[in-house]
């Protein structure tokens, strides 16, 4: 699950696939399952695997490195530990998004994006206050949708997910 939240929060990942049929690679030694197959924002495909230190992981990584026609990125458990802020934040954000499961958030996510683009930056609290005609939970879900589609960025790698989370136009990064 940690790799899922890491990928969801990675601003370079446009889309990620985790389902086994799509992440399985057939090699001479047999099938090997990737942990994720990502499409990056530049359109390139990147396979991602976790190296948990086991002999099986080492063999799979060596076999894939030798034969895979895609970029392969290996994450150690230490790498995931160093990204604990991103992982924890995206776990909370995705939970907030799923609480709005019955709502169509697409139009509202575009409103959030438009507001952030106009201002250049905003906090989640400012989004809730400005677009106050909607329930705060739905606004949070729409903001997460905008973040997941990479139309806006955030400071969620460095600061806890809260109403103080800073949102900004993609490509402009958080300000200190």
């Amino acid at each position: 699950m940690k790799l899922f939240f890491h990928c969801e929060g990675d601003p370079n990942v446009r889309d990620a696939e985790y389902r086994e049929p799509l992440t399985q690679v057939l090699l001479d030694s047999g099938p090997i399952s990737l942990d994720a197959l990502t499409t990056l924002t530049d359109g390139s495909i990147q396979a991602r695997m976790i190296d948990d230190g086991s002999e099986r992981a080492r063999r799979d990584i060596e076999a894939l490195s030798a034969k895979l026609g895609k970029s392969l990125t290996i994450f150690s458990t230490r790498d995931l530990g160093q990204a604990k802020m991103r992982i924890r934040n995206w776990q909370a954000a995705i939970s907030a998004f799923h609480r709005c499961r019955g709502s169509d958030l697409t139009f509202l996510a575009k409103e959030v994006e438009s507001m952030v683009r106009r201002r250049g930056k905003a906090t989640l609290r400012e989004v809730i206050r400005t677009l106050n005609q909607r329930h705060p939970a739905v606004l949070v879900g729409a903001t997460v949708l905008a973040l997941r589609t990479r139309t806006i960025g955030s400071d969620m790698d460095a600061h806890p997910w809260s109403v103080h989370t800073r949102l900004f136009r993609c490509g402009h990064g958080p300000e200190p």
Side-chain angles (χ1 to χ4, degrees), residues 121-142:
K121 62 182 179 179
T123 64
L124 184 55
R125 174 177 285 159
E126 291 169 335
V127 168
I128 293 168
R129 284 183 179 164
T130 301
L131 302 174
N132 63 8
Q133 72 278 14
R134 301 299 292 263
H135 192 280
V138 176
L139 288 167
V140 170

Short mmCIF file of all heavy atoms in Angstrom, two decimals, residues 121-142:
data_model
loop_
_atom_site.label_atom_id
_atom_site.label_comp_id
_atom_site.label_asym_id
_atom_site.label_seq_id
_atom_site.Cartn_x
_atom_site.Cartn_y
_atom_site.Cartn_z
N LYS A 121 -1.59 30.65 -5.85
CA LYS A 121 -1.46 29.75 -4.71
C LYS A 121 -2.65 29.97 -3.78
O LYS A 121 -3.30 31.02 -3.82
CB LYS A 121 -0.16 29.98 -3.95
CG LYS A 121 -0.04 31.37 -3.37
CD LYS A 121 1.28 31.58 -2.68
CE LYS A 121 1.30 33.02 -2.15
NZ LYS A 121 2.49 33.34 -1.45
N ALA A 122 -2.94 28.97 -2.99
CA ALA A 122 -4.03 29.06 -2.01
C ALA A 122 -3.84 27.93 -1.01
O ALA A 122 -3.11 26.97 -1.27
CB ALA A 122 -5.39 28.92 -2.69
N THR A 123 -4.49 28.04 0.12
CA THR A 123 -4.50 26.93 1.07
C THR A 123 -5.83 26.20 0.91
O THR A 123 -6.79 26.73 0.33
CB THR A 123 -4.38 27.42 2.53
OG1 THR A 123 -5.53 28.20 2.85
CG2 THR A 123 -3.09 28.20 2.74
N LEU A 124 -5.88 25.01 1.44
CA LEU A 124 -7.13 24.25 1.40
C LEU A 124 -8.23 25.03 2.15
O LEU A 124 -9.38 25.06 1.70
CB LEU A 124 -6.93 22.87 2.02
CG LEU A 124 -8.10 21.91 1.97
CD1 LEU A 124 -8.61 21.72 0.55
CD2 LEU A 124 -7.71 20.58 2.59
N ARG A 125 -7.88 25.70 3.22
CA ARG A 125 -8.85 26.52 3.96
C ARG A 125 -9.42 27.63 3.07
O ARG A 125 -10.61 27.89 3.08
CB ARG A 125 -8.21 27.13 5.20
CG ARG A 125 -9.16 28.12 5.90
CD ARG A 125 -8.57 28.67 7.16
NE ARG A 125 -8.66 27.60 8.14
CZ ARG A 125 -7.93 27.52 9.24
NH1 ARG A 125 -7.03 28.45 9.50
NH2 ARG A 125 -8.08 26.53 10.08
N GLU A 126 -8.56 28.26 2.27
CA GLU A 126 -9.03 29.33 1.38
C GLU A 126 -9.97 28.78 0.31
O GLU A 126 -10.94 29.45 -0.06
CB GLU A 126 -7.85 30.04 0.73
CG GLU A 126 -7.04 30.87 1.72
CD GLU A 126 -5.72 31.36 1.17
OE1 GLU A 126 -5.16 30.74 0.22
OE2 GLU A 126 -5.23 32.38 1.69
N VAL A 127 -9.71 27.58 -0.16
CA VAL A 127 -10.61 26.94 -1.12
C VAL A 127 -11.98 26.75 -0.48
O VAL A 127 -13.02 27.09 -1.06
CB VAL A 127 -10.04 25.59 -1.61
CG1 VAL A 127 -11.10 24.79 -2.36
CG2 VAL A 127 -8.81 25.81 -2.49
N ILE A 128 -11.98 26.24 0.73
CA ILE A 128 -13.24 25.98 1.44
C ILE A 128 -14.00 27.28 1.70
O ILE A 128 -15.22 27.35 1.52
CB ILE A 128 -12.97 25.20 2.75
CG1 ILE A 128 -12.45 23.80 2.42
CG2 ILE A 128 -14.22 25.14 3.62
CD1 ILE A 128 -11.87 23.04 3.61
N ARG A 129 -13.29 28.32 2.09
CA ARG A 129 -13.94 29.61 2.36
C ARG A 129 -14.45 30.29 1.08
O ARG A 129 -15.52 30.87 1.06
CB ARG A 129 -12.98 30.55 3.09
CG ARG A 129 -12.81 30.20 4.53
CD ARG A 129 -11.91 31.18 5.22
NE ARG A 129 -11.78 30.85 6.63
CZ ARG A 129 -10.85 31.34 7.41
NH1 ARG A 129 -9.95 32.19 6.93
NH2 ARG A 129 -10.79 30.98 8.67
N THR A 130 -13.67 30.22 0.01
CA THR A 130 -14.04 30.90 -1.22
C THR A 130 -15.20 30.21 -1.93
O THR A 130 -16.09 30.87 -2.46
CB THR A 130 -12.82 30.99 -2.16
OG1 THR A 130 -11.78 31.69 -1.48
CG2 THR A 130 -13.16 31.72 -3.45
N LEU A 131 -15.17 28.90 -1.96
CA LEU A 131 -16.21 28.14 -2.65
C LEU A 131 -17.23 27.60 -1.64
O LEU A 131 -17.69 26.47 -1.74
CB LEU A 131 -15.57 27.00 -3.46
CG LEU A 131 -14.53 27.44 -4.50
CD1 LEU A 131 -13.86 26.23 -5.13
CD2 LEU A 131 -15.14 28.34 -5.54
N ASN A 132 -17.61 28.43 -0.70
CA ASN A 132 -18.41 28.01 0.46
C ASN A 132 -19.85 27.62 0.15
O ASN A 132 -20.59 27.25 1.05
CB ASN A 132 -18.35 29.07 1.56
CG ASN A 132 -18.96 30.39 1.11
OD1 ASN A 132 -19.55 30.48 0.05
ND2 ASN A 132 -18.78 31.40 1.93
N GLN A 133 -20.27 27.72 -1.09
CA GLN A 133 -21.63 27.30 -1.43
C GLN A 133 -21.74 25.78 -1.43
O GLN A 133 -22.84 25.25 -1.49
CB GLN A 133 -22.07 27.89 -2.79
CG GLN A 133 -21.41 27.27 -4.00
CD GLN A 133 -20.02 27.84 -4.32
OE1 GLN A 133 -19.41 28.53 -3.53
NE2 GLN A 133 -19.54 27.53 -5.50
N ARG A 134 -20.63 25.08 -1.36
CA ARG A 134 -20.60 23.61 -1.33
C ARG A 134 -20.15 23.13 0.03
O ARG A 134 -19.47 23.84 0.77
CB ARG A 134 -19.64 23.08 -2.40
CG ARG A 134 -19.96 23.50 -3.81
CD ARG A 134 -21.34 23.01 -4.28
NE ARG A 134 -21.41 21.58 -4.44
CZ ARG A 134 -21.26 20.94 -5.58
NH1 ARG A 134 -21.03 21.61 -6.69
NH2 ARG A 134 -21.33 19.64 -5.61
N HIS A 135 -20.50 21.90 0.37
CA HIS A 135 -20.11 21.31 1.64
C HIS A 135 -18.58 21.18 1.68
O HIS A 135 -17.96 20.79 0.68
CB HIS A 135 -20.76 19.93 1.80
CG HIS A 135 -20.63 19.38 3.17
ND1 HIS A 135 -19.49 18.77 3.62
CD2 HIS A 135 -21.50 19.38 4.21
CE1 HIS A 135 -19.65 18.40 4.87
NE2 HIS A 135 -20.87 18.74 5.26
N PRO A 136 -17.97 21.49 2.81
CA PRO A 136 -16.50 21.42 2.91
C PRO A 136 -15.92 20.05 2.54
O PRO A 136 -14.88 19.98 1.89
CB PRO A 136 -16.21 21.75 4.38
CG PRO A 136 -17.38 22.56 4.81
CD PRO A 136 -18.56 22.04 4.04
N ALA A 137 -16.61 18.97 2.91
CA ALA A 137 -16.10 17.64 2.58
C ALA A 137 -16.03 17.42 1.07
O ALA A 137 -15.09 16.81 0.56
CB ALA A 137 -16.96 16.56 3.23
N VAL A 138 -17.02 17.94 0.35
CA VAL A 138 -17.04 17.81 -1.11
C VAL A 138 -15.94 18.67 -1.72
O VAL A 138 -15.28 18.27 -2.69
CB VAL A 138 -18.43 18.17 -1.66
CG1 VAL A 138 -18.45 18.13 -3.18
CG2 VAL A 138 -19.48 17.22 -1.11
N LEU A 139 -15.69 19.84 -1.15
CA LEU A 139 -14.60 20.69 -1.64
C LEU A 139 -13.24 20.02 -1.41
O LEU A 139 -12.36 20.09 -2.28
CB LEU A 139 -14.64 22.05 -0.95
CG LEU A 139 -15.79 22.95 -1.39
CD1 LEU A 139 -15.95 24.13 -0.44
CD2 LEU A 139 -15.57 23.43 -2.81
N VAL A 140 -13.08 19.37 -0.28
CA VAL A 140 -11.82 18.65 -0.02
C VAL A 140 -11.68 17.52 -1.04
O VAL A 140 -10.60 17.35 -1.63
CB VAL A 140 -11.78 18.12 1.43
CG1 VAL A 140 -10.60 17.17 1.63
CG2 VAL A 140 -11.70 19.28 2.42
N GLY A 141 -12.74 16.76 -1.29
CA GLY A 141 -12.69 15.69 -2.28
C GLY A 141 -12.36 16.21 -3.67
O GLY A 141 -11.56 15.62 -4.40
N ALA A 142 -12.94 17.34 -4.05
CA ALA A 142 -12.67 17.95 -5.36
C ALA A 142 -11.22 18.42 -5.44
O ALA A 142 -10.58 18.30 -6.49
CB ALA A 142 -13.62 19.11 -5.62
#
